[in-house]
Amino acid sequence: MPGIAIRKLNIWYGNTHALREINLDLPDGQITAIIGPSGCGKSTLLKSINRLLDLNEHVRITGQILIDGAAIYGKQVDVTEVRTQVGMLAQKPFPLPMSIYDNVAYGPRIHGLARGRQLAQLVTDSLKAARLWDEVGHRLKESAHKLSVGQQQRLCLARALAIQPAVLLCDESTASLDPIAARGIEELLSSLRQRYTLVMVTHDIEQARRLADYVVFMWLGEVVEHGPAAAFFQHPQHSLSQAYLAREIG
Amino acid sequence: MRRKQWRKLEEGCFIWLMRLALLIAVVGLGSILFTITSRGWAALSWEMVSQPPSAGFYLGGGGGILHALLGSLYLATGATLLALLIAVPVVLYINTYGRGSKTAEMVRLVLNILWGMPSIVFGVFILGLLLALGLRTSLLAGTIALALVIVPILARTFDEVVRLVPHELSETTLALGTTRLELSIMLLRQTMPGLLAGLFLAFERALGDGAAVLFTAGFTSSMPSSLFQPVASLPLVIFFQLATPFPEVQARAYAAALILTAIVLTFGMLGYFFLHHVGKHVIR
Amino acid sequence: MDRQQEPRNASQPAGLRVDSMHHRMRRWQDRIGQAIMGALAWSLLGLLLAIGGVLLLRALPILERASVPELLFSTTWQPMRGLFGMAPFIVGTIAVTLVAMLVAVPLAILSGIYLAEYMTSRARLFFKPVTDLLAGIPPVVYGLWGVLVVVPFVRNELAPWADRNLAAYCSCFANTNPSGYSIAAAGLVLSLMVYPIIVTITEEVLRAVPRELREALFALGATRWEVTKVTLLRAGLPGVVAAVVLGFSRAFGETLAVLMVVGNVPRMPGSIFDGSYTLAALIANNYGEMMSVPLYESALMGAGLVLLLVVVSFNLGAWLFLTRRLKRGGEA
C-alpha cells in the first residue's frame, strides 16, 4: 500500500498554473526526494501534502491526495487532523515564542496526546530522537531563541516528531544551516527513514543522492520523471533529467 | 557641471528646511512643557492631590482635585479594559479566521474611519443614547464613550504588531495541526509586549480626552462613588477652572494641567519601554 | 475523517492516539471562537452605523423644520428665533483645519524625511521622543498653552506683522481683532497637535521602503534627496495620504483645544485673525443650556452628524483613491 498517493493534482496561483496534472505514488517508510530547478513547483507540491497551501489567498487546487488511502482534500476533512498526521520541517528553523520544553510539548498538549509525566517522557524521547537532548536536557526552561541555528532546526524536528506524525515533510531543511549542522540534520533524517514516510524537497543533487530512496524530478510545474533513486541516478530516462543531473540546466 | 551644482544646492536647501521644521517642533514642545511647568509648579501643593474640593472651589475656595484624579483613573482604566475586550478578538480574527478576506478589509477600513472620528462625536452618540433611554450622565456612560474612542487606537496599534509577526510563525504553528483559535492564542503570546504598549497608549489617550466625557461622564465636585453617578475628570477640571475669572483658580488649572501631563507622559514612556524591552520568548 | 486507524509504525507508543473526545471539543472551541470573534468584528461596522443612526434620529426634528441646504448654507445662527444656519461654524471649521494643515503638513513631512533619512541613529534617539511627547500631550493642555502663549503671540506679533506686510495683497490677512483669539491661533495650536501623527507615519513609510530600491537609486548616482523624492512619492504616497487624512480628521473634529483659543464668535470670518467658531466647539459649548431652547439639542446633533459625515466621506475617498491606485498597478 502506498504511503502518499497524488491524483490529478492541479494548482493555480491566481492565473498561474503552478502544478500540472501531478500523479504520483510516494512509497511508505522511505525517503522521497523532490528535485528540480528553483521555481519548478517542488515546494508547492510539498506544501499541498499538509494543506499548508490553504493559507494562501489566491490559490486554487483540484485533484486529490490520499494518505494511507484517505483523501485529504474535501469538505468533510478536518485540516488540523491532516496536519497532525503530516509533520513538517521548514527551510528556516522557527521556534515558537516559548521555552525549549514548551516548544516540544505544545503539539502533544493541544492534541491531548499526553500529560504530566507521560508528556515529559514524550518530550524527552522526541528531543533524543532529534539528537538534541544531550545539549539542552539541563536547560529546558530557557527560551528556544537562545539556541544556535542548527540546534533550533533539531528542536523544530523534535517538535514535529512529538505529535507522532506518519509523514514528515522537509522543505530544504538544511539550506539555511552551516555545512556541519546540515550534515547532522541529514544523518538524523536518514535514521528516521524506517519509521516515517519522509518527503523532502532539495535543490542539492548530492544530498538527494545521499539520502533518497525514491526521486521525483520536476520541471516547470510538471513531473518529468520519478522512480527509485538508484535507477534514476544511474539511468535517467528523460533528456531533461539527464541534462539536470549533468548540471547543464537548472 | 552646472546641473550637478544645482542638484547639490537643491538638496542643501531642503536639508536646512528640514532642520528648521524639526527645530520649530522642538521649540513648540519646549514652549508647552516650559509654560505648563513654570505656571503649574507654583500652584502645586499636596492639598491639591490629596483632597476633594471644598465649598466654593470654583470661586477660589480650598480643597483639591483628588475627585477628578480618581475619576480620570477610573474612567481610563475601565475604558482600556473594555476596549481590550473588543479590540483584541477583532484583531486576532482579521489575522486568523478572516485573513485576507473581504471582512478583514472592511474591518480595517472601519477601524481607520473610527480612528479619525472626533471624540466629541462618540460623546454626542452616547449622549443621544442616554437621552433616548432617559438616563443621566454617569461613570459608566463616560467609560463606554472613552472605550469607543480608544478601541480603534488599540486595535490599529495591535494590528500593526500582529501583522509584523513573521508568517513562518503561523505556518509552523498550523503545520502542527492547530486550530485557528489556537493559532490566535499563539499570535497573542508573540505580540504580548506590543499589546501592552498599545494598552498604555490607549490609557494615555483615555486619560487626556475631555471631549468624549463632557456629555457622558458629567461633572461633579464629589468623589466618584458609583458606576451610575456622574464623575469628574482631570481634563474637565482644567477646562472649567480656566473658564473662571479668578486668577487663583486659574493657577490651580495650571497645576492640574501639570499633573495630567506628568501622568500621561509617564504612561507614554511605560508603553515605549514595553514595546522595546519586554518579552522573554518573543522572536525578534 | 472516516478512515480506519491502523497502527502504522511499530515504534509509536500505544496510548498516544488522538483522543476523539478531546478532538471534538477543540473543534467546538474553534467554532465558538470564530463565531464570537467574527461577531465582534462585524459589530464595529454596526457601531459606525449606530452612531450615524442615533445622530440622524436625534437630528430629525430640526431636519423636518428646515431644509438641508438652509441648515448648511444659511449664515444666521439665532436659536432663540429658531434659526439654525450652520454656515459660520462650517466655514470656521474648514478655515481652522486648513490653516492647521497648511502649517503642519510641510513641517511634518520635512521632519519625517529628516528623521528617517538624514539623522544618525544617535541623534534620532534624542529627537524621536519629541514626536512621542507631542502626540501624548492631552488636548486640554494644548488649549491651555494656546491661551497662554499662542494667543498673545498672534495678538502682539503675528497679526500686526501680517497686517503690515500681507494685508495689502489679501484682506484675509487683515488684523481685524484685538484679542488674538482667532482662526490663526486655533490653526497654529492644531498644527502642533497634528504634526506628530504625520511625522510618525511619514517616517515609517520611508523606513518600509525596500533597501534594494534605495540601493538601486543610489547606484545610479542619485543624491539622498533625489532618492527620497522617488521613494516618498512612488512607494510612500499611500502612507502619506493616509497620514494627511488622519491629521485632517483630527484637526476637523478637535474640540477642547480649539474651543479655548478660537474665540467662539458665530460669524462668517473675513480674515484669519477673526474670531470664529467650529462645529465641535459649538457642540461642546452649548450642551448645558441646550435643553431650554426648542430644537437646540436637535441642531447640535445635526452638527455632530455633519462632523461624522465629513470624516467618513474623507476617509472613504482616500480609501477609494488608494485601492484604485493599487488596482492600476501603482506601488503599494
Side-chain angles (χ1 to χ4, degrees):
Chain A
M1 183 175 56
I4 302 168
I6 299 171
R7 297 286 173 259
K8 290 187 183 164
L9 186 71
N10 280 283
I11 292 174
W12 288 264
Y13 289 113
N15 293 322
T16 318
H17 201 162
L19 289 187
R20 294 163 195 270
E21 283 295 300
I22 309 285
N23 285 290
L24 278 174
D25 287 301
L26 305 182
D28 185 15
Q30 297 190 5
I31 297 182
T32 300
I34 304 174
I35 60 174
S38 56
C40 69
K42 310 182 290 258
S43 286
T44 304
L45 180 58
L46 194 77
K47 284 182 180 177
S48 67
I49 300 176
N50 67 348
R51 294 195 54 178
L52 219 49
L53 279 186
D54 297 18
L55 297 183
N56 285 321
E57 285 146 36
H58 305 293
V59 83
R60 194 157 61 83
I61 304 167
T62 66
Q64 189 54 272
I65 297 180
L66 305 133
I67 297 179
D68 257 17
I72 69 164
Y73 284 96
K75 279 220 164 85
Q76 294 300 307
V77 180
D78 182 350
V79 221
T80 64
E81 191 150 326
V82 173
R83 292 181 188 144
T84 316
Q85 299 291 330
V86 184
M88 172 142 179
L89 192 58
Q91 178 166 4
K92 273 202 312 207
F94 203 90
L96 302 173
M98 33 178 92
S99 70
I100 295 172
Y101 181 89
D102 288 336
N103 254 279
V104 183
Y106 178 75
R109 242 183 227 143
I110 58 163
H111 293 296
L113 286 175
R115 58 167 66 102
R117 192 173 297 163
Q118 211 185 359
L119 180 61
Q121 189 58 45
L122 182 57
V123 171
T124 311
D125 290 347
S126 305
L127 284 170
K128 279 179 178 159
R131 294 188 193 159
L132 191 58
W133 178 256
D134 295 339
E135 292 155 58
V136 303
H138 57 285
R139 47 177 183 145
L140 294 172
K141 293 281 168 248
E142 277 181 26
S143 174
H145 297 93
K146 295 195 174 135
L147 300 177
S148 73
V149 182
Q151 287 173 324
Q152 285 186 7
Q153 189 66 311
R154 277 178 284 154
L155 180 68
C156 293
L157 182 62
R159 185 179 65 196
L161 296 182
I163 52 171
Q164 314 281 325
V167 176
L168 191 61
L169 308 176
C170 304
D171 186 2
E172 307 254 20
S173 300
T174 59
S176 60
L177 305 181
D178 64 89
I180 294 170
R183 187 51 76 100
I185 296 284
E186 254 183 43
E187 283 168 11
L188 251 170
L189 294 180
S190 184
S191 74
L192 294 173
R193 83 173 75 205
Q194 303 302 321
R195 293 154 60 187
Y196 301 90
T197 298
L198 240 144
V199 185
M200 55 184 284
V201 158
T202 180
H203 64 272
D204 179 353
I205 300 173
E206 290 315 311
Q207 187 177 53
R209 219 191 279 271
R210 285 193 296 269
L211 286 178
D213 305 302
Y214 197 85
V215 175
V216 176
F217 173 61
M218 296 184 67
W219 182 264
L220 293 179
E222 288 182 80
V223 171
V224 174
E225 187 174 345
H226 61 101
F232 176 82
F233 284 117
Q234 275 152 31
H235 307 291
Q237 300 297 308
H238 199 283
S239 56
L240 277 172
S241 324
Q242 291 161 3
Y244 184 70
L245 287 181
R247 292 192 170 76
E248 287 159 10
I249 54 171
Chain B
M1 271 306 103
R2 182 166 297 167
R3 166 105 193 113
K4 190 175 173 184
Q5 282 165 356
W6 172 246
R7 286 169 58 201
K8 287 260 183 248
L9 186 69
E10 185 191 338
E11 177 164 39
C13 285
F14 273 101
I15 287 180
W16 280 106
L17 278 178
M18 288 185 241
R19 288 188 181 148
L20 186 67
L22 217 52
L23 183 71
I24 291 174
V26 173
V27 168
L29 176 67
S31 165
I32 293 176
L33 294 180
F34 175 77
T35 310
I36 301 295
T37 315
S38 63
R39 299 279 189 129
W41 193 258
L44 206 56
S45 66
W46 179 242
E47 187 192 4
M48 265 202 70
V49 290
S50 64
Q51 284 177 25
S54 35
F57 184 65
Y58 290 94
L59 305 171
I65 53 162
L66 180 64
H67 66 310
L69 196 63
L70 285 181
S72 265
L73 288 178
Y74 289 161
L75 282 167
T77 310
T80 309
L81 292 179
L82 205 56
L84 181 75
L85 288 180
I86 301 170
V88 168
V90 169
V91 170
L92 291 177
Y93 182 84
I94 57 178
N95 283 289
T96 54
Y97 295 100
R99 191 169 151 239
S101 66
K102 288 271 173 217
T103 310
E105 197 182 341
M106 181 277 295
V107 170
R108 289 204 172 98
L109 175 63
V110 170
L111 279 176
N112 265 342
I113 294 175
L114 291 177
W115 201 27
M117 191 68 70
S119 51
I120 190 129
V121 172
F122 293 111
V124 278
F125 165 61
I126 297 292
L127 172 71
L129 283 183
L130 290 180
L131 290 174
L133 298 172
L135 296 173
R136 297 191 311 137
T137 56
S138 65
L139 172 57
L140 182 64
T143 306
I144 294 174
L146 275 182
L148 297 186
V149 174
I150 59 178
V151 158
I153 298 171
L154 187 55
R156 293 245 345 196
T157 327
F158 187 43
D159 189 32
E160 299 276 302
V161 181
V162 174
R163 284 214 269 185
L164 282 181
V165 172
H167 77 107
E168 285 98 335
L169 180 66
S170 303
E171 219 166 73
T172 37
T173 310
L174 285 173
L176 289 172
T178 57
T179 62
R180 284 170 294 182
L181 185 64
E182 286 152 352
L183 173 65
S184 302
I185 294 164
M186 181 64 73
L187 288 176
L188 194 59
R189 274 183 96 105
Q190 164 73 11
T191 52
M192 199 52 94
L195 177 61
L196 276 173
L199 277 180
F200 279 111
L201 196 70
F203 187 78
E204 174 190 327
R205 186 59 59 80
L207 269 181
D209 197 298
V213 293
L214 190 55
F215 318 124
T216 53
F219 198 71
T220 170
S221 288
S222 47
M223 299 283 280
S225 54
S226 127
L227 264 183
F228 305 102
Q229 293 296 319
V231 69
S233 50
L234 277 176
L236 296 188
V237 151
I238 299 168
F239 182 63
F240 288 130
Q241 284 181 327
L242 266 185
T244 64
F246 309 108
E248 60 269 44
V249 181
Q250 289 182 348
R252 275 202 304 241
Y254 305 149
L258 179 59
I259 294 169
L260 177 60
T261 310
I263 298 176
V264 162
L265 296 186
T266 307
F267 278 101
M269 279 192 298
L270 278 177
Y272 188 79
F273 173 75
F274 272 101
L275 191 59
H276 294 284
H277 299 290
V278 178
K280 181 182 165 201
H281 297 305
V282 171
I283 304 156
R284 298 200 195 273
Chain C
M1 269 169 90
D2 51 58
R3 67 182 167 112
Q4 301 92 332
Q5 292 270 4
E6 286 179 81
R8 199 176 3 249
N9 305 315
S11 62
Q12 189 163 313
L16 287 178
R17 285 257 146 256
V18 172
D19 170 21
S20 76
M21 184 64 200
H22 178 86
H23 187 68
R24 238 177 297 156
M25 237 174 70
R26 280 177 62 214
R27 218 144 71 180
W28 271 109
Q29 283 171 352
D30 188 46
R31 283 192 196 143
I32 293 169
Q34 176 166 25
I36 294 176
M37 289 157 77
L40 275 173
W42 280 96
S43 75
L44 288 182
L45 181 64
L47 171 68
L48 194 57
L49 296 177
I51 295 176
V54 165
L55 293 184
L56 184 63
L57 270 180
R58 306 292 308 184
L60 267 186
I62 188 116
L63 290 173
E64 281 164 1
R65 272 282 299 277
S67 70
V68 173
E70 191 186 330
L71 288 173
L72 292 184
F73 301 125
S74 162
T75 56
T76 321
W77 176 263
Q78 286 176 346
M80 296 302 177
R81 290 172 48 208
L83 295 173
F84 294 96
M86 290 193 207
F89 306 95
I90 295 174
V91 171
T93 309
I94 292 173
V96 166
T97 309
L98 215 60
V99 172
M101 297 308 277
L102 283 178
V103 177
V105 170
L107 281 186
I109 290 183
L110 285 172
S111 305
I113 295 172
Y114 197 72
L115 279 171
E117 300 283 344
Y118 287 93
M119 211 168 241
T120 61
S121 54
R122 209 174 234 280
R124 199 179 306 113
L125 227 54
F126 173 74
F127 277 100
K128 193 75 189 82
V130 171
T131 50
D132 290 347
L133 289 173
L134 280 175
I137 291 173
V140 74
V141 175
Y142 272 103
L144 196 149
W145 172 71
V147 172
L148 294 176
V149 177
V150 179
V151 168
F153 169 72
V154 169
R155 178 178 56 219
N156 303 331
E157 313 286 335
L158 189 62
W161 177 86
D163 195 50
R164 277 196 310 276
N165 296 304
L166 301 171
Y169 306 103
C170 172
S171 66
C172 60
F173 292 110
N175 187 6
T176 45
N177 167 10
S179 75
Y181 289 88
S182 58
I183 294 175
L188 287 179
V189 171
L190 269 183
S191 66
L192 202 58
M193 293 179 76
V194 168
Y195 170 87
I197 300 171
I198 307 180
V199 172
T200 311
I201 301 184
T202 307
E203 195 196 344
E204 271 167 20
V205 161
L206 281 171
R207 281 173 185 285
V209 171
R211 213 184 57 218
E212 291 82 354
L213 173 59
R214 191 175 300 239
E215 279 172 2
L217 288 164
F218 276 123
L220 290 173
T223 63
R224 198 170 271 280
W225 171 246
E226 286 159 337
V227 171
T228 306
K229 273 197 290 191
V230 174
T231 51
L232 195 67
L233 291 180
R234 307 273 162 168
L237 192 64
V240 175
V241 170
V244 171
V245 168
L246 186 67
F248 168 86
S249 305
R250 267 296 146 68
F252 203 76
E254 177 47 47
T255 311
L256 286 185
V258 173
L259 169 63
M260 290 160 82
V261 296
V262 79
N264 300 330
V265 185
R267 216 176 42 210
M268 293 297 274
S271 151
I272 63 165
F273 298 111
D274 274 341
S276 187
Y277 218 147
T278 66
L279 286 167
L282 169 72
I283 301 171
N285 249 344
N286 294 290
Y287 87 105
E289 60 196 78
M290 67 191 189
M291 298 306 181
S292 54
V293 180
L295 290 178
Y296 208 141
E297 184 229 324
S298 188
L300 294 186
M301 291 289 177
L305 191 61
V306 173
L307 277 182
L308 173 94
L309 290 179
V310 169
V311 168
V312 168
S313 47
F314 212 80
N315 273 281
L316 279 180
W319 177 74
L320 275 178
F321 165 74
L322 294 178
T323 44
R324 278 263 190 84
R325 211 181 120 83
L326 274 181
K327 283 204 183 106
R328 269 208 336 255
E331 299 85 344

